[in-house]
Amino acid sequence: MLRNCSTLHLEFSNLVRPCLYPTYHGMYTLPPCKTFPQQSLTLLKLTNCKLTISKRNILLSVKIAKLTVVDLRKDSLYNLVSRCPCLEELHLIRCKLSSSSFKLYSPKSNLKCLVLQYCICSAPPSHVGTLRHVAVNIPSLLQFKCEGISCYPTINNANNLTEAKIRILNTRENEHELLCKLLQDLHNVEVLTLCYQNLEVLGANGRRSLLTPLCNLKRLAITLLWVEKDLPNLMCLLRNSPSLEALSLDLHRIYEGAEGMISSVYNEDESTVLEPLLLPSDCVMHLTKIEIKNFQGLKVEMEFVKIMLQSSLCLKEMVICISSRYELLKQRIGEEHNGVLQMKKDAAVENILACTCASPDAQILIY
């Protein structure tokens, strides 16, 4: 502490895996932070401890604080954000907060990045609970990542916010209203990561247009669970993102049988489910790259690929990863049917490569 260190990483022991299953019992309580180097410490990393930051004992020089399984007592969080003049990046991972309402209002803060992942709150008597309300009002904020909570966050004064990642665990009755309010708060973001729960909300609204389009959004990443339901909802979001340049999809689905998956390969002669939701070319006129992970070759997936290739006039690259499809097929069919597997593999790939591309420069890469 007396050597004027610039980086301090304290990780205290716990018999239970602290990052996955924190107990918050028997934690070591750090002494007042006046013990820390005041003028030289720029990076602070704490794991599995209790921390109290008062108005008088603040971290004057810390720029980055990463707290994992830390029990923040009383007003420590507010004092950390509002009274540490150099703090620019704050990570709260599975931390325990003193209140079920996470409210950060600090108009003079220099915080640029805030990460809130799977945090909980104190709930009497000696139990823990999920956060019921998350509200952030920090005008200097550039990046905001919120995962593993059961409520939609409210972000005020977000004109400078350019990157956001929102992953909500559960939903509530007025979820559509809350999601629309959140997307309205994020109207200036350029990079956005969402999850399938968000798309379900858009689907419940009849896939109508958003009140405030995401006109500045350039990169969009989404994880899908049930592609038959989520892909039509995604089309709604794409129609409200006229400046999108890059789209990344991660398709997750549990299949009951490989035979059903094989038989669902796209067929040009069959009726389509996305046709009423075709994208006008001006909605994807800036789209240059599409990445699709865990592609399974379902009809709706093949149909989505076809629509995107036919609508994206400036597309340069579409990357499709199909390895998970054939790993599953091997497990379900067995090695003795390699001939059938290879035939179906070739058929799926040929269907993708045979799609008409609106962009003469488009390349289709299949892994």
Side-chain angles (χ1 to χ4, degrees), residues 51-54 72-81 98:
L51 176 65
T52 300
I53 300 178
S54 65
L72 290 165
R73 316 307 296 268
K74 297 180 180 180
D75 297 327
S76 296
L77 179 59
Y78 176 78
N79 291 332
L80 181 62
V81 173
S98 59

Side-chain angles (χ1 to χ4, degrees), residues 308-340:
M308 298 307 295
L309 289 174
Q310 292 178 346
S311 304
S312 306
L313 299 176
C314 297
L315 187 67
K316 294 182 179 179
E317 185 178 77
M318 175 179 282
V319 180
I320 302 177
C321 179
I322 60 176
S323 59
S324 61
R325 163 185 167 86
Y326 299 106
E327 289 298 324
L328 180 59
L329 292 180
K330 274 188 176 182
Q331 296 175 8
R332 297 298 179 89
I333 299 178
E335 297 292 340
E336 65 274 12
H337 297 290
N338 277 341
V340 177

Side-chain angles (χ1 to χ4, degrees), residues 39-100:
Q39 302 300 327
S40 61
L41 187 63
T42 58
L43 173 58
L44 175 64
K45 298 175 68 176
L46 299 176
T47 301
N48 197 33
C49 62
K50 295 181 181 180
L51 176 65
T52 300
I53 300 178
S54 65
K55 296 181 180 179
R56 296 182 179 180
N57 300 325
I58 59 176
L59 306 172
L60 295 176
S61 57
V62 171
K63 292 184 178 180
I64 302 175
K66 296 184 178 181
L67 310 181
T68 304
V69 194
V70 172
D71 188 350
L72 290 165
R73 316 307 296 268
K74 297 180 180 180
D75 297 327
S76 296
L77 179 59
Y78 176 78
N79 291 332
L80 181 62
V81 173
S82 63
R83 300 183 183 278
C84 296
C86 297
L87 186 64
E88 296 182 355
E89 189 173 332
L90 175 61
H91 296 248
L92 301 175
I93 303 172
R94 297 188 182 275
C95 290
K96 182 180 178 182
L97 309 179
S98 59
S99 173
S100 61

Side-chain angles (χ1 to χ4, degrees), residues 23-43:
T23 60
Y24 306 99
H25 295 303
M27 285 181 166
Y28 176 73
T29 302
L30 286 177
C33 59
K34 63 182 180 181
T35 310
F36 297 160
Q38 290 293 299
Q39 302 300 327
S40 61
L41 187 63
T42 58
L43 173 58

Side-chain angles (χ1 to χ4, degrees), residues 13 25 51 94 113 148 153 249 294 297 314 326 334 363-364:
S13 63
H25 295 303
L51 176 65
R94 297 188 182 275
C113 175
L249 300 180
N294 293 310
C314 297
Y326 299 106
Q363 290 185 337
I364 304 176

Side-chain angles (χ1 to χ4, degrees), residues 254-267:
I254 300 176
Y255 298 96
E256 297 181 355
E259 295 81 2
M261 184 169 59
I262 289 179
S263 63
S264 65
V265 173
Y266 181 77
N267 189 334

Side-chain angles (χ1 to χ4, degrees), residues 295 302 305 309 320 322 347-355 364 366:
F295 186 87
M302 296 294 296
V305 168
L309 289 174
I320 302 177
I322 60 176
V349 172
E350 289 177 0
N351 279 334
I352 296 175
L353 297 177
C355 294
I364 304 176
I366 302 176

